[in-house]
Amino acid sequence: MRAYDLSPLFRSAIGFDRLANTLESIHNSNVSGGYPPYNIELVDEDHYTITMAVAGFTTDDLEIEVRQNMLHVSGQKQEDEQSNRTFLHRGIANRSFERNFQLADHILVESAIIQDGMLEVKLIREIPEEMKPRRIEIQKRSGNVIDSKVEAA
């Protein structure tokens, strides 16, 4: 992977710290490998689902946390279960993992469900009322009287 030097951009741009952090986290997530595999699905305009293959993990082994627009999913497998077993071949990954997903503004975790070795994290975009588009009334001035034209949005 090619490393890019973004320092000239940040010498003249103010307030783009999140951009730098996002680019750095993308680079770090690619370095961590592909375990566990996951899908990101756009269900509709405001709903997303992240599906992760976490076979062998229970709800006690998994942790989901949101910190500063970063969704952090980790799994810590208990080693005491494996101590008295002898494997001739071990092809099923049974290791701990950490996955981070950068969330855009106003993306919230709605729920997390584990079934048949698949962890589904449901996300929703909830835009606050003050940020939603709204129709502004146009008034017409005729002399000193203002006629209001009220339209429902």
Side-chain angles (χ1 to χ4, degrees), residues 107-126:
I107 300 289
L108 305 173
V109 176
E110 191 174 39
S111 65
I113 302 166
I114 188 168
Q115 180 180 1
D116 298 332
M118 302 299 278
L119 174 67
E120 284 191 354
V121 180
K122 305 282 186 180
L123 305 167
I124 186 169
R125 179 191 332 255
E126 286 189 358

Side-chain angles (χ1 to χ4, degrees), residues 103-147:
L103 301 178
D105 291 337
H106 314 298
I107 300 289
L108 305 173
V109 176
E110 191 174 39
S111 65
I113 302 166
I114 188 168
Q115 180 180 1
D116 298 332
M118 302 299 278
L119 174 67
E120 284 191 354
V121 180
K122 305 282 186 180
L123 305 167
I124 186 169
R125 179 191 332 255
E126 286 189 358
I127 299 175
E129 282 298 319
E130 61 270 6
M131 296 187 75
K132 290 182 179 176
R134 59 188 174 97
R135 175 167 261 165
I136 306 299
E137 177 185 334
I138 301 173
Q139 299 176 347
K140 181 179 176 185
R141 184 182 302 260
S142 57
N144 289 339
V145 179
I146 297 176
D147 296 331

Side-chain angles (χ1 to χ4, degrees), residues 22-60:
T22 300
L23 293 173
E24 184 178 331
S25 70
I26 289 170
H27 173 70
N28 290 340
S29 69
N30 290 337
V31 171
S32 68
Y35 181 76
Y38 64 92
N39 294 333
I40 301 175
E41 177 184 1
L42 175 63
V43 178
D44 63 37
E45 187 177 325
D46 293 324
H47 293 86
Y48 304 86
T49 300
I50 299 173
T51 306
M52 299 179 73
V54 292
F57 286 87
T58 65
T59 55
D60 294 334

